[in-house]
Structures are given as C-alpha cells and as structure tokens.
Amino acid sequence: MNRMPAVAGQFYPGTAPGLTRTLKELTRESPGKLPAIAVVSPHAGYAYSGGVAGELYSAVHVPSRAIVFGPNHTGVGEDAAIMSRGSWRMPWGDVPVDGELADRLTAACSLLREDGAAHLGEHSLEVQLPFLYRFRPDIRIVPIALGHLSLEECRELGDSTAKAVSGDPEPPLLVASSDMSHYVPDEVARRKDRLAIDRMLALDAEGLYRTVRSERISMCGVIPATVALFAARLLGASSARLIKYATSGDVSRDFDQVVGYAGIAVF
C-alpha cells in the first residue's frame, strides 16, 4: 500500500523545494547530538509547532529507522493499527515502511492489528516524516496509530516494543506524536502542560497517563507518549530533557485559546 499525503500543502509545504526551504528555516545542524531513545514531538501545522519540532529533531541523533506512534484523531480503524508494508508518499518521494521490523512488532504484541485505513486521513504521523528525513534521508518507518488504550494496554505495547528491538545494533528511534493542551487560555495551557511535562521528564509513564486524566489535560497524544515511555525505560533510558515548549499564542498573539507544543528527548 502506498499511503498518500493527507495534509501536504496544508500543515507543511506540498512541494519538495518549498518543504526543503521550510525545514532549513526550522532546523539547524548542531554538534553533540543527544543519543535519544525516544522523542515526544508536536504535530500541528508547521507555522505553529514547526519551531518546537525543528529544535527537537536538531538536538537528537536520528537513526535509520523510526517507530512512529501517533494518536488516531479520525477514529477510523483499530485501536492499535500498524501498517507493515508499502510506503508513505511525501513531496520528495516515498518513505518506505520497514516490513521486517513491523513483523517483529506484530509478533511481539497481540494488540497490534494490520490496518492501513486507520492511517489514510491521520496527520499526526505524517508531519513527523519531513523532520526525520531532514536528518536521515534513508529513514524507514513503522507507523502505528493508537486509539483508546488502557494503562495496562499501553504498558503491554511499550514493553513488547522494547523487547522486539532490544537486540538491534542500532535501535529505532521511538517517536511519540503529541500536542499538549488544546483551546484553553495560555496561562492554563502552560500550567497544565507543565504537570504532564514533569511526568515525562521523570520517565513516569503511569504518572503521565493518570495525571492527564485526573487534571483533564487535553493532550491528544498521551497514549503514544505513555507507550514510548514504557518502552524507553526498558531500553535503558535514564533521563529526559525538555528541548522547547511553546503555544500557538506565541505565533498568533491570540492568548485566549491556544494549543501547547512540547519537544522532549528521552535518552
């Protein structure tokens, strides 16, 4: 299956030259890249969240493979939908799916279901690909769209992911795609988002899951982030760093209703 772009020309430039120019503006070459096991990266239009995502990906080493966990905003398909064959069409060409890695993940975790339909209209994974490609043009991916998973299901998927890749000479980067608070005043977003960010910086997957629910934080990718944290801990993660935080108000200057964006590296 060749998955066609859903938001090219909307969330990011739809031509190769335009996207290349934008990525050069949003990213930078930096020495001493962090050996990240996982990242949490926003997925809004680049005009709003691209600066956060760009700083994050500029700061970490990007290996040749990535497992990209994103929330299923559309509600279509399975709650743990993997696409294990084909490619994702982007303005510069195709990003191949790593079928061998996808097969290992599917064998390791019974929650995963083959479901290309869940990915067709979903933007949360797609917007990560240009940043991965910017620093690794040979990138191969395993896309996983996640719906409503319990805490124990998040733990099962995270643990299974870690076990599936733990013997790899160069483990894939785990990417959790998530925006933070949605459509609340800027001061509310910053206060509530800090509660979730603190749990992520503490590598506390269970605490993140419970805090987002108890504090009613509208973090759309809490499930992907929880899964990635469970996996990262088993893969040896010992620390995390907030690379950048911003809200849409920083761009629009409308601080009455904002969306929060956090870029976090786990290593």
Short mmCIF file of all heavy atoms in Angstrom, two decimals, residues 153-217:
data_model
loop_
_atom_site.label_atom_id
_atom_site.label_comp_id
_atom_site.label_asym_id
_atom_site.label_seq_id
_atom_site.Cartn_x
_atom_site.Cartn_y
_atom_site.Cartn_z
N GLU A 153 -2.79 -1.76 28.69
CA GLU A 153 -2.51 -1.98 27.27
C GLU A 153 -1.34 -1.13 26.80
O GLU A 153 -0.53 -1.58 25.98
CB GLU A 153 -3.77 -1.68 26.45
CG GLU A 153 -4.85 -2.74 26.60
CD GLU A 153 -6.15 -2.36 25.94
OE1 GLU A 153 -6.48 -1.14 25.92
OE2 GLU A 153 -6.86 -3.25 25.46
N CYS A 154 -1.24 0.09 27.30
CA CYS A 154 -0.07 0.92 26.98
C CYS A 154 1.21 0.26 27.48
O CYS A 154 2.23 0.24 26.76
CB CYS A 154 -0.21 2.30 27.62
SG CYS A 154 -1.47 3.37 26.90
N ARG A 155 1.15 -0.28 28.68
CA ARG A 155 2.32 -0.96 29.23
C ARG A 155 2.69 -2.18 28.38
O ARG A 155 3.85 -2.42 28.07
CB ARG A 155 2.05 -1.39 30.68
CG ARG A 155 3.29 -1.92 31.41
CD ARG A 155 2.91 -2.58 32.73
NE ARG A 155 2.08 -1.74 33.55
CZ ARG A 155 2.53 -0.82 34.40
NH1 ARG A 155 3.83 -0.64 34.52
NH2 ARG A 155 1.69 -0.11 35.13
N GLU A 156 1.67 -2.96 27.99
CA GLU A 156 1.92 -4.15 27.18
C GLU A 156 2.56 -3.79 25.84
O GLU A 156 3.54 -4.43 25.42
CB GLU A 156 0.61 -4.90 26.95
CG GLU A 156 0.76 -6.15 26.09
CD GLU A 156 -0.55 -6.86 25.81
OE1 GLU A 156 -1.56 -6.54 26.47
OE2 GLU A 156 -0.56 -7.73 24.91
N LEU A 157 2.03 -2.77 25.19
CA LEU A 157 2.59 -2.37 23.89
C LEU A 157 3.99 -1.80 24.05
O LEU A 157 4.89 -2.11 23.25
CB LEU A 157 1.68 -1.34 23.22
CG LEU A 157 2.13 -0.82 21.85
CD1 LEU A 157 2.44 -1.95 20.88
CD2 LEU A 157 1.07 0.12 21.28
N GLY A 158 4.21 -0.99 25.09
CA GLY A 158 5.54 -0.44 25.33
C GLY A 158 6.57 -1.51 25.65
O GLY A 158 7.67 -1.54 25.08
N ASP A 159 6.20 -2.43 26.53
CA ASP A 159 7.12 -3.50 26.91
C ASP A 159 7.42 -4.40 25.71
O ASP A 159 8.58 -4.80 25.49
CB ASP A 159 6.53 -4.33 28.04
CG ASP A 159 6.48 -3.57 29.37
OD1 ASP A 159 6.94 -2.42 29.41
OD2 ASP A 159 5.96 -4.14 30.35
N SER A 160 6.40 -4.72 24.92
CA SER A 160 6.60 -5.58 23.75
C SER A 160 7.48 -4.90 22.71
O SER A 160 8.32 -5.55 22.07
CB SER A 160 5.26 -5.94 23.13
OG SER A 160 4.47 -6.68 24.04
N THR A 161 7.29 -3.59 22.54
CA THR A 161 8.13 -2.85 21.60
C THR A 161 9.60 -2.91 22.03
O THR A 161 10.49 -3.16 21.21
CB THR A 161 7.67 -1.39 21.52
OG1 THR A 161 6.32 -1.35 21.00
CG2 THR A 161 8.57 -0.57 20.62
N ALA A 162 9.84 -2.68 23.31
CA ALA A 162 11.21 -2.72 23.80
C ALA A 162 11.84 -4.09 23.60
O ALA A 162 12.99 -4.20 23.16
CB ALA A 162 11.25 -2.34 25.28
N LYS A 163 11.10 -5.13 23.90
CA LYS A 163 11.63 -6.48 23.74
C LYS A 163 11.91 -6.81 22.28
O LYS A 163 12.87 -7.50 21.96
CB LYS A 163 10.66 -7.48 24.36
CG LYS A 163 10.60 -7.39 25.88
CD LYS A 163 9.49 -8.24 26.46
CE LYS A 163 9.39 -8.05 27.98
NZ LYS A 163 8.22 -8.76 28.55
N ALA A 164 11.09 -6.28 21.39
CA ALA A 164 11.25 -6.58 19.96
C ALA A 164 12.50 -5.94 19.37
O ALA A 164 13.06 -6.45 18.40
CB ALA A 164 10.02 -6.11 19.19
N VAL A 165 12.95 -4.81 19.92
CA VAL A 165 14.08 -4.08 19.32
C VAL A 165 15.33 -4.10 20.18
O VAL A 165 16.36 -3.56 19.77
CB VAL A 165 13.69 -2.62 19.02
CG1 VAL A 165 12.44 -2.57 18.16
CG2 VAL A 165 13.48 -1.80 20.29
N SER A 166 15.26 -4.72 21.36
CA SER A 166 16.36 -4.59 22.32
C SER A 166 17.67 -5.18 21.82
O SER A 166 18.74 -4.75 22.25
CB SER A 166 15.97 -5.24 23.65
OG SER A 166 15.71 -6.62 23.47
N GLY A 167 17.61 -6.14 20.91
CA GLY A 167 18.85 -6.74 20.43
C GLY A 167 19.42 -6.09 19.19
O GLY A 167 20.48 -6.50 18.71
N ASP A 168 18.77 -5.07 18.69
CA ASP A 168 19.24 -4.42 17.46
C ASP A 168 20.52 -3.63 17.71
O ASP A 168 20.63 -2.92 18.72
CB ASP A 168 18.18 -3.46 16.93
CG ASP A 168 16.96 -4.20 16.38
OD1 ASP A 168 16.93 -5.43 16.47
OD2 ASP A 168 16.04 -3.53 15.88
N PRO A 169 21.51 -3.73 16.82
CA PRO A 169 22.75 -2.95 16.98
C PRO A 169 22.47 -1.45 17.05
O PRO A 169 23.13 -0.73 17.80
CB PRO A 169 23.56 -3.31 15.74
CG PRO A 169 23.01 -4.62 15.29
CD PRO A 169 21.56 -4.60 15.64
N GLU A 170 21.53 -0.98 16.24
CA GLU A 170 21.10 0.42 16.30
C GLU A 170 19.58 0.43 16.45
O GLU A 170 18.86 0.33 15.46
CB GLU A 170 21.50 1.19 15.05
CG GLU A 170 21.15 2.67 15.14
CD GLU A 170 21.45 3.43 13.85
OE1 GLU A 170 21.07 2.95 12.78
OE2 GLU A 170 22.05 4.51 13.94
N PRO A 171 19.08 0.53 17.67
CA PRO A 171 17.63 0.50 17.87
C PRO A 171 16.95 1.65 17.15
O PRO A 171 17.54 2.74 16.99
CB PRO A 171 17.47 0.64 19.39
CG PRO A 171 18.78 0.19 19.96
CD PRO A 171 19.80 0.60 18.95
N PRO A 172 15.72 1.46 16.69
CA PRO A 172 15.00 2.54 16.04
C PRO A 172 14.64 3.64 17.04
O PRO A 172 14.51 3.39 18.24
CB PRO A 172 13.73 1.85 15.51
CG PRO A 172 13.56 0.67 16.41
CD PRO A 172 14.94 0.21 16.76
N LEU A 173 14.50 4.85 16.53
CA LEU A 173 14.02 5.95 17.36
C LEU A 173 12.52 5.77 17.57
O LEU A 173 11.77 5.52 16.63
CB LEU A 173 14.28 7.28 16.66
CG LEU A 173 13.82 8.55 17.40
CD1 LEU A 173 14.63 8.75 18.68
CD2 LEU A 173 13.95 9.77 16.48
N LEU A 174 12.09 5.90 18.81
CA LEU A 174 10.67 5.85 19.14
C LEU A 174 10.13 7.28 19.12
O LEU A 174 10.60 8.13 19.89
CB LEU A 174 10.45 5.22 20.51
CG LEU A 174 11.11 3.86 20.75
CD1 LEU A 174 10.81 3.36 22.15
CD2 LEU A 174 10.67 2.84 19.70
N VAL A 175 9.19 7.54 18.27
CA VAL A 175 8.62 8.88 18.13
C VAL A 175 7.18 8.85 18.62
O VAL A 175 6.35 8.11 18.09
CB VAL A 175 8.66 9.36 16.67
CG1 VAL A 175 8.01 10.75 16.54
CG2 VAL A 175 10.09 9.38 16.14
N ALA A 176 6.88 9.63 19.64
CA ALA A 176 5.52 9.80 20.12
C ALA A 176 5.03 11.16 19.65
O ALA A 176 5.57 12.20 20.03
CB ALA A 176 5.46 9.71 21.64
N SER A 177 4.02 11.15 18.81
CA SER A 177 3.50 12.39 18.24
C SER A 177 2.37 12.92 19.11
O SER A 177 1.37 12.23 19.33
CB SER A 177 2.99 12.11 16.81
OG SER A 177 2.51 13.29 16.21
N SER A 178 2.52 14.13 19.63
CA SER A 178 1.50 14.68 20.52
C SER A 178 1.58 16.19 20.60
O SER A 178 2.66 16.76 20.74
CB SER A 178 1.67 14.12 21.94
OG SER A 178 0.65 14.62 22.79
N ASP A 179 0.42 16.83 20.54
CA ASP A 179 0.29 18.20 21.01
C ASP A 179 -0.12 18.16 22.48
O ASP A 179 -0.47 17.10 23.01
CB ASP A 179 -0.75 18.97 20.18
CG ASP A 179 -0.29 19.18 18.74
OD1 ASP A 179 0.93 19.12 18.49
OD2 ASP A 179 -1.16 19.39 17.88
N MET A 180 -0.08 19.30 23.13
CA MET A 180 -0.40 19.35 24.55
C MET A 180 -1.82 19.91 24.73
O MET A 180 -2.73 19.44 24.06
CB MET A 180 0.67 20.16 25.29
CG MET A 180 2.09 19.61 25.12
SD MET A 180 2.32 17.91 25.73
CE MET A 180 2.14 18.15 27.50
N SER A 181 -2.02 20.85 25.62
CA SER A 181 -3.37 21.37 25.88
C SER A 181 -3.97 22.01 24.62
O SER A 181 -3.26 22.62 23.83
CB SER A 181 -3.33 22.41 27.00
OG SER A 181 -3.10 21.80 28.24
N HIS A 182 -5.28 21.88 24.49
CA HIS A 182 -5.99 22.40 23.32
C HIS A 182 -7.05 23.43 23.72
O HIS A 182 -7.90 23.16 24.58
CB HIS A 182 -6.71 21.26 22.59
CG HIS A 182 -5.81 20.35 21.81
ND1 HIS A 182 -4.88 19.54 22.41
CD2 HIS A 182 -5.70 20.12 20.48
CE1 HIS A 182 -4.24 18.84 21.49
NE2 HIS A 182 -4.73 19.18 20.30
N TYR A 183 -6.97 24.60 23.09
CA TYR A 183 -8.03 25.62 23.11
C TYR A 183 -8.43 26.05 24.52
O TYR A 183 -9.59 26.06 24.89
CB TYR A 183 -9.25 25.11 22.33
CG TYR A 183 -8.86 24.61 20.96
CD1 TYR A 183 -9.13 23.31 20.58
CD2 TYR A 183 -8.15 25.42 20.07
CE1 TYR A 183 -8.73 22.82 19.33
CE2 TYR A 183 -7.76 24.96 18.83
CZ TYR A 183 -8.05 23.66 18.47
OH TYR A 183 -7.65 23.19 17.25
N VAL A 184 -7.40 26.38 25.29
CA VAL A 184 -7.58 26.96 26.62
C VAL A 184 -6.72 28.22 26.68
O VAL A 184 -5.83 28.43 25.86
CB VAL A 184 -7.16 25.97 27.73
CG1 VAL A 184 -8.06 24.74 27.73
CG2 VAL A 184 -5.70 25.56 27.57
N PRO A 185 -6.97 29.11 27.66
CA PRO A 185 -6.11 30.29 27.80
C PRO A 185 -4.65 29.90 27.97
O PRO A 185 -4.33 28.85 28.53
CB PRO A 185 -6.67 30.98 29.04
CG PRO A 185 -8.10 30.55 29.10
CD PRO A 185 -8.10 29.12 28.60
N ASP A 186 -3.78 30.78 27.50
CA ASP A 186 -2.35 30.49 27.51
C ASP A 186 -1.84 30.13 28.89
O ASP A 186 -1.07 29.16 29.05
CB ASP A 186 -1.58 31.70 26.96
CG ASP A 186 -0.11 31.41 26.73
OD1 ASP A 186 0.22 30.86 25.67
OD2 ASP A 186 0.70 31.72 27.63
N GLU A 187 -2.26 30.86 29.91
CA GLU A 187 -1.75 30.58 31.25
C GLU A 187 -2.23 29.22 31.76
O GLU A 187 -1.51 28.54 32.51
CB GLU A 187 -2.14 31.69 32.23
CG GLU A 187 -3.63 31.85 32.49
CD GLU A 187 -4.31 32.80 31.51
OE1 GLU A 187 -3.72 33.09 30.44
OE2 GLU A 187 -5.43 33.25 31.83
N VAL A 188 -3.42 28.81 31.36
CA VAL A 188 -3.93 27.50 31.74
C VAL A 188 -3.14 26.41 31.03
O VAL A 188 -2.75 25.40 31.64
CB VAL A 188 -5.43 27.38 31.42
CG1 VAL A 188 -5.94 25.96 31.69
CG2 VAL A 188 -6.23 28.38 32.24
N ALA A 189 -2.89 26.60 29.74
CA ALA A 189 -2.11 25.61 28.98
C ALA A 189 -0.73 25.42 29.59
O ALA A 189 -0.28 24.27 29.78
CB ALA A 189 -1.99 26.06 27.53
N ARG A 190 -0.08 26.51 29.91
CA ARG A 190 1.28 26.39 30.44
C ARG A 190 1.30 25.71 31.81
O ARG A 190 2.19 24.89 32.10
CB ARG A 190 1.93 27.77 30.52
CG ARG A 190 2.22 28.35 29.12
CD ARG A 190 2.79 29.76 29.18
NE ARG A 190 2.95 30.29 27.83
CZ ARG A 190 4.00 30.08 27.04
NH1 ARG A 190 5.01 29.36 27.51
NH2 ARG A 190 4.05 30.60 25.82
N ARG A 191 0.32 26.01 32.63
CA ARG A 191 0.27 25.39 33.97
C ARG A 191 -0.05 23.90 33.87
O ARG A 191 0.63 23.07 34.48
CB ARG A 191 -0.78 26.10 34.82
CG ARG A 191 -1.01 25.44 36.20
CD ARG A 191 -1.93 26.27 37.06
NE ARG A 191 -3.18 26.55 36.40
CZ ARG A 191 -4.22 25.69 36.35
NH1 ARG A 191 -4.10 24.50 36.91
NH2 ARG A 191 -5.33 26.03 35.75
N LYS A 192 -1.07 23.56 33.09
CA LYS A 192 -1.45 22.15 32.99
C LYS A 192 -0.40 21.34 32.22
O LYS A 192 -0.07 20.21 32.60
CB LYS A 192 -2.81 22.02 32.32
CG LYS A 192 -3.97 22.43 33.20
CD LYS A 192 -5.30 21.95 32.64
CE LYS A 192 -6.40 22.08 33.66
NZ LYS A 192 -7.65 21.43 33.21
N ASP A 193 0.12 21.91 31.17
CA ASP A 193 1.13 21.19 30.39
C ASP A 193 2.36 20.88 31.22
O ASP A 193 2.99 19.84 31.06
CB ASP A 193 1.52 21.99 29.14
CG ASP A 193 0.42 22.01 28.09
OD1 ASP A 193 -0.56 21.26 28.24
OD2 ASP A 193 0.55 22.77 27.12
N ARG A 194 2.69 21.79 32.14
CA ARG A 194 3.86 21.55 32.98
C ARG A 194 3.68 20.30 33.83
O ARG A 194 4.65 19.57 34.09
CB ARG A 194 4.12 22.76 33.88
CG ARG A 194 5.45 22.69 34.62
CD ARG A 194 6.62 22.86 33.67
NE ARG A 194 7.67 21.89 33.90
CZ ARG A 194 8.85 21.94 33.32
NH1 ARG A 194 9.14 22.91 32.48
NH2 ARG A 194 9.76 21.01 33.57
N LEU A 195 2.45 20.03 34.26
CA LEU A 195 2.19 18.83 35.06
C LEU A 195 2.51 17.58 34.24
O LEU A 195 3.14 16.63 34.73
CB LEU A 195 0.74 18.80 35.51
CG LEU A 195 0.28 19.94 36.42
CD1 LEU A 195 -1.23 19.84 36.67
CD2 LEU A 195 1.05 19.93 37.74
N ALA A 196 2.07 17.56 32.98
CA ALA A 196 2.35 16.42 32.11
C ALA A 196 3.83 16.35 31.74
O ALA A 196 4.42 15.27 31.72
CB ALA A 196 1.48 16.50 30.86
N ILE A 197 4.42 17.49 31.44
CA ILE A 197 5.84 17.52 31.08
C ILE A 197 6.70 17.00 32.22
O ILE A 197 7.65 16.22 32.00
CB ILE A 197 6.25 18.95 30.67
CG1 ILE A 197 5.63 19.31 29.31
CG2 ILE A 197 7.77 19.09 30.62
CD1 ILE A 197 5.73 20.78 28.97
N ASP A 198 6.37 17.38 33.45
CA ASP A 198 7.15 16.91 34.60
C ASP A 198 7.11 15.39 34.71
O ASP A 198 8.11 14.76 35.08
CB ASP A 198 6.64 17.55 35.88
CG ASP A 198 7.09 18.99 36.03
OD1 ASP A 198 7.99 19.42 35.28
OD2 ASP A 198 6.52 19.70 36.89
N ARG A 199 5.96 14.79 34.42
CA ARG A 199 5.86 13.32 34.47
C ARG A 199 6.72 12.70 33.37
O ARG A 199 7.36 11.66 33.58
CB ARG A 199 4.41 12.87 34.32
CG ARG A 199 3.48 13.20 35.50
CD ARG A 199 3.96 12.60 36.80
NE ARG A 199 4.88 13.48 37.51
CZ ARG A 199 5.96 13.10 38.20
NH1 ARG A 199 6.29 11.82 38.25
NH2 ARG A 199 6.70 13.96 38.82
N MET A 200 6.73 13.31 32.20
CA MET A 200 7.56 12.78 31.12
C MET A 200 9.04 12.92 31.44
O MET A 200 9.83 12.02 31.18
CB MET A 200 7.20 13.46 29.80
CG MET A 200 5.84 13.05 29.26
SD MET A 200 5.50 13.66 27.58
CE MET A 200 4.91 15.32 27.94
N LEU A 201 9.43 14.06 32.00
CA LEU A 201 10.83 14.26 32.37
C LEU A 201 11.27 13.30 33.46
O LEU A 201 12.46 12.96 33.56
CB LEU A 201 11.06 15.71 32.80
CG LEU A 201 10.83 16.77 31.74
CD1 LEU A 201 11.13 18.16 32.29
CD2 LEU A 201 11.67 16.50 30.49
N ALA A 202 10.32 12.85 34.28
CA ALA A 202 10.61 11.86 35.31
C ALA A 202 10.55 10.43 34.78
O ALA A 202 10.72 9.48 35.54
CB ALA A 202 9.64 12.02 36.48
N LEU A 203 10.28 10.28 33.48
CA LEU A 203 10.13 8.96 32.84
C LEU A 203 9.03 8.14 33.52
O LEU A 203 9.12 6.91 33.61
CB LEU A 203 11.46 8.19 32.86
CG LEU A 203 12.67 8.91 32.25
CD1 LEU A 203 13.90 8.00 32.31
CD2 LEU A 203 12.40 9.34 30.82
N ASP A 204 8.00 8.83 33.95
CA ASP A 204 6.92 8.21 34.72
C ASP A 204 5.72 8.01 33.80
O ASP A 204 4.81 8.84 33.72
CB ASP A 204 6.56 9.12 35.90
CG ASP A 204 5.47 8.54 36.79
OD1 ASP A 204 5.02 7.41 36.54
OD2 ASP A 204 5.06 9.25 37.73
N ALA A 205 5.71 6.88 33.09
CA ALA A 205 4.65 6.61 32.13
C ALA A 205 3.29 6.51 32.81
O ALA A 205 2.30 7.10 32.34
CB ALA A 205 4.95 5.32 31.36
N GLU A 206 3.23 5.78 33.88
CA GLU A 206 1.96 5.63 34.59
C GLU A 206 1.49 6.97 35.15
O GLU A 206 0.31 7.32 35.07
CB GLU A 206 2.09 4.61 35.72
CG GLU A 206 0.81 4.39 36.50
CD GLU A 206 0.91 3.25 37.50
OE1 GLU A 206 1.86 2.45 37.42
OE2 GLU A 206 0.01 3.16 38.37
N GLY A 207 2.43 7.74 35.70
CA GLY A 207 2.08 9.05 36.23
C GLY A 207 1.56 9.99 35.16
O GLY A 207 0.64 10.77 35.38
N LEU A 208 2.16 9.93 33.95
CA LEU A 208 1.68 10.75 32.84
C LEU A 208 0.25 10.38 32.50
O LEU A 208 -0.62 11.26 32.37
CB LEU A 208 2.58 10.55 31.62
CG LEU A 208 2.08 11.19 30.33
CD1 LEU A 208 2.05 12.71 30.44
CD2 LEU A 208 2.92 10.74 29.14
N TYR A 209 -0.01 9.11 32.32
CA TYR A 209 -1.35 8.63 31.95
C TYR A 209 -2.37 9.09 32.98
O TYR A 209 -3.44 9.62 32.62
CB TYR A 209 -1.31 7.11 31.86
CG TYR A 209 -2.56 6.46 31.30
CD1 TYR A 209 -2.63 6.09 29.96
CD2 TYR A 209 -3.65 6.19 32.12
CE1 TYR A 209 -3.76 5.47 29.45
CE2 TYR A 209 -4.79 5.58 31.62
CZ TYR A 209 -4.84 5.21 30.28
OH TYR A 209 -5.97 4.61 29.78
N ARG A 210 -2.07 8.91 34.25
CA ARG A 210 -3.03 9.25 35.31
C ARG A 210 -3.18 10.76 35.48
O ARG A 210 -4.29 11.27 35.71
CB ARG A 210 -2.61 8.60 36.62
CG ARG A 210 -2.61 7.07 36.58
CD ARG A 210 -2.43 6.48 37.96
NE ARG A 210 -2.30 5.03 37.92
CZ ARG A 210 -3.31 4.17 37.75
NH1 ARG A 210 -4.53 4.64 37.59
NH2 ARG A 210 -3.08 2.85 37.72
N THR A 211 -2.08 11.50 35.36
CA THR A 211 -2.14 12.96 35.54
C THR A 211 -2.96 13.61 34.45
O THR A 211 -3.77 14.51 34.71
CB THR A 211 -0.72 13.54 35.55
OG1 THR A 211 -0.01 13.03 36.69
CG2 THR A 211 -0.74 15.06 35.61
N VAL A 212 -2.77 13.19 33.21
CA VAL A 212 -3.53 13.78 32.11
C VAL A 212 -5.02 13.57 32.32
O VAL A 212 -5.84 14.48 32.06
CB VAL A 212 -3.07 13.17 30.76
CG1 VAL A 212 -4.05 13.49 29.64
CG2 VAL A 212 -1.69 13.69 30.41
N ARG A 213 -5.40 12.42 32.85
CA ARG A 213 -6.80 12.17 33.08
C ARG A 213 -7.32 12.89 34.32
O ARG A 213 -8.38 13.52 34.28
CB ARG A 213 -7.05 10.67 33.19
CG ARG A 213 -7.23 10.05 31.81
CD ARG A 213 -6.80 8.60 31.69
NE ARG A 213 -7.05 8.13 30.32
CZ ARG A 213 -6.34 8.50 29.27
NH1 ARG A 213 -5.33 9.33 29.41
NH2 ARG A 213 -6.64 8.03 28.06
N SER A 214 -6.61 12.85 35.41
CA SER A 214 -7.10 13.46 36.64
C SER A 214 -7.14 14.98 36.55
O SER A 214 -8.03 15.63 37.12
CB SER A 214 -6.23 13.04 37.83
OG SER A 214 -4.90 13.54 37.70
N GLU A 215 -6.20 15.58 35.80
CA GLU A 215 -6.15 17.03 35.65
C GLU A 215 -6.89 17.52 34.40
O GLU A 215 -6.90 18.72 34.13
CB GLU A 215 -4.70 17.50 35.60
CG GLU A 215 -3.90 17.18 36.85
CD GLU A 215 -4.42 17.91 38.08
OE1 GLU A 215 -4.98 19.02 37.92
OE2 GLU A 215 -4.26 17.37 39.19
N ARG A 216 -7.47 16.59 33.67
CA ARG A 216 -8.21 16.92 32.44
C ARG A 216 -7.38 17.77 31.48
O ARG A 216 -7.80 18.81 31.00
CB ARG A 216 -9.53 17.62 32.79
CG ARG A 216 -10.47 16.76 33.62
CD ARG A 216 -11.80 17.43 33.85
NE ARG A 216 -12.69 16.55 34.60
CZ ARG A 216 -13.94 16.86 34.93
NH1 ARG A 216 -14.44 18.05 34.58
NH2 ARG A 216 -14.69 16.01 35.61
N ILE A 217 -6.19 17.25 31.21
CA ILE A 217 -5.28 17.90 30.26
C ILE A 217 -5.60 17.35 28.88
O ILE A 217 -5.57 16.14 28.66
CB ILE A 217 -3.82 17.62 30.63
CG1 ILE A 217 -3.53 18.07 32.07
CG2 ILE A 217 -2.88 18.32 29.66
CD1 ILE A 217 -2.19 17.61 32.60
#
